[in-house]
Amino acid sequence: MRVTVLDYGAGNVRSVVNSIKSLGHEVHFVQNPEDIINSEILVFPGVGAFGEMMNTLRERSFVDPLISYLKQNRPFLGICLGLQALFEESEEAPGIPGLGFFKGKVVRFPKSLPVPHIGWNGIKPKRESLIFHGLRGNEKLYFVHSYHVVPQDRSIILTTTDYGVEFVSSIQQGNIIATQFHPEKSGSAGLRILKNFLARSIQPSAPTMSPVQTRLARRIVACLDVRSDDTGRLVVTKGDQYDVRDRTSKAVRNLGDPVELARRYYDEGADEIVFLNITGFRNFPLKDMPMLEILKKTSENVFVPLTIGGGIRGYRDEKGRRYSALEVASEYFRSGADKVSIGSDAVHIVEECISKGSVDPDNAISAIARVYGCQAVVISIDPRRVYARSPEETKHNVIETELPGPQGERFCWYQCTVKGGREGRNVDAITLARVCEELGAGEILLNCIDRDGTNLGYDIELIRAVCDAVNIPVIASSGAGCADHFLEVFTKTRVEAALAAGIFHRREVRIPDLKNYLRRKGVEVNDY
């Protein structure tokens, strides 16, 4: 069967296409309005920001044929923004109307919650549907959004999900189905839902069970530091406090092939995979074909979220042409990334904001968030401890520490660094996180130079301080050496995810064993 995908040019559509192809179907892209009308099955994977999406649909004359297709009750699957577009308006883009096929609006989650809602959560079916065939009912699916739909007609609600409030996570009216979650990023359960939808001949059914309340899982994130080794081959490596060369041989540590390792972690149950491009050619990201190829190949067989970091900034090529950070990010999104991680450039943006009292509205953080949504922008912070005898000794955000300094200092602040931790800057991690949130970032990847490669556990004091300072999700990174360290960070802080690299690469901790351990200790985790 040929499936038509409405790709309006934003976000990672490659994963949707790969998931459909993996199920044995041919994919055709909408090139003009007639392609919508002539579709057998139409899939609309909306990714990004509501206003940008609707403006693009109107510019390309897709609105009228879309509404006509929907009115004929023909097979339609909307994903994420593809659900939100069906309604009249969104608080994300006041004054820009949606398709208005359903009465109702799109509203933001309460400010009391960490937003975006990112991660694996359950669904509560309200009635039967063909997409539920073969589901147990306790599966978790991947969400990443700041807004949710509020239909006037409650009869179209197919499932709800709990996140501070109970919100509508999918709708169905006849052959029209739309989900807030991403089936293409939800592992085997998501592929089952896609398979059911595309089969068309399956009788509606209900899962065998339904949770009374759904719970957001704590995420386990596998990180792959990728760089070229001494022969020029791209490998996964791991630093010891950011030094990736073996202390004896002086060679770059080679822990495996990036695509193969990513597939292994997907099979083992990693909730997300992060690629950090730490090699020299990140200075020319649009010519960085090896990293783009890694993303493309990985997304063919890995159906969980992929993040890419390293080189997400503006640059000028050897011919003098200027490329914006938005153009660089777009290339990675089109190659299979769901999120981009901004590191050193975020520090420079915040420094400018502090010194001038304002910042260029087209800075990398704001520009990417404006087009692709805040959930697509991750800020990677690389701080190190700086001890102080008293809070008055520095203007930076200071915490009282239980780990005194070399001279018995009882206070410290966390200095942000750039250039892979080699250069300290005059801005602290708490300030950086707060300003980046204001500029549009949707998530913090919080590293710690002092803990990197030590296996001593996460820096709980740092993580707690940053979690308390922002209202966006935080991923803990650096220092994990055993399962107890994950338990500690999940029970002692509000962090939503924990990342590790070396202990996974060396099989010192296996992801299935880690999740079983956390589950026994009462931590909500995801199985897919």
Side-chain angles (χ1 to χ4, degrees), residues 69-312:
Y69 183 94
L70 293 166
K71 285 182 176 179
Q72 295 174 48
N73 190 32
R74 295 164 66 188
F76 173 90
L77 177 64
I79 299 173
C80 195
L81 275 181
L83 161 66
Q84 297 180 13
L86 299 176
F87 291 82
E88 296 171 291
E89 59 181 333
S90 173
E91 290 181 352
E92 184 179 13
I96 299 179
L99 295 175
F101 184 75
F102 293 121
K103 297 291 184 181
K105 59 183 179 179
V106 184
V107 303
R108 195 180 191 277
F109 281 109
K111 292 183 178 180
S112 58
L113 296 170
V115 177
H117 170 222
I118 297 180
W120 299 73
N121 208 333
I123 55 173
K124 297 187 290 188
K126 300 301 179 182
R127 53 196 173 94
E128 294 183 339
S129 172
L130 82 165
I131 68 171
F132 295 146
H133 177 73
L135 296 186
R136 300 183 306 274
N138 61 348
E139 294 88 353
K140 291 187 185 293
L141 303 163
Y142 184 74
F143 291 82
V144 54
H145 60 120
S146 301
Y147 298 81
H148 61 92
V149 300
V150 181
Q152 284 188 15
D153 181 2
R154 308 294 290 179
S155 70
I156 68 173
I157 297 174
L158 182 58
T159 65
T160 61
T161 296
D162 297 301
Y163 183 63
V165 296
E166 185 178 19
F167 69 92
V168 175
S169 51
S170 67
I171 60 96
Q172 180 171 2
Q173 179 177 280
N175 290 318
I176 299 165
I177 298 176
T179 67
Q180 187 61 67
F181 54 84
H182 287 262
E184 80 283 6
K185 288 294 173 182
S186 297
S188 58
L191 291 177
R192 164 68 68 175
I193 288 172
L194 278 174
K195 181 179 180 180
N196 291 342
F197 171 77
L198 296 173
R200 307 309 307 161
S201 59
I202 295 175
Q203 291 298 312
S205 63
T208 55
M209 65 180 74
S210 178
V212 175
Q213 184 175 27
T214 70
R215 295 177 63 191
L216 182 66
R218 300 294 186 101
R219 288 173 281 150
I220 303 299
V221 182
C223 180
L224 287 72
D225 293 335
V226 180
R227 66 155 290 163
S228 54
D229 65 10
D230 296 322
T231 67
R233 184 167 58 113
L234 279 186
V235 299
V236 174
T237 188
K238 184 67 187 81
D240 181 357
Q241 294 186 307
Y242 290 31
D243 183 0
V244 300
R245 292 190 176 274
D246 183 85
R247 292 182 178 179
T248 302
S249 69
K250 305 302 180 184
V252 172
R253 296 183 184 92
N254 180 355
L255 298 176
D257 176 80
V259 177
E260 292 176 2
L261 268 181
R263 175 66 197 209
R264 187 187 107 194
Y265 293 140
Y266 169 65
D267 290 339
E268 291 182 355
D271 297 312
E272 294 187 22
I273 293 170
V274 174
F275 290 107
L276 294 182
N277 176 10
I278 62 172
T279 198
F281 49 69
R282 66 183 178 186
N283 293 320
F284 302 94
L286 291 188
K287 292 188 176 181
D288 187 357
M289 297 310 293
M291 278 306 300
L292 296 178
E293 282 303 308
I294 284 174
L295 280 171
K296 291 174 183 177
K297 290 179 180 178
T298 300
S299 66
E300 290 176 0
N301 297 293
V302 173
F303 300 108
V304 295
L306 303 176
T307 299
I308 178 72
I312 311 297

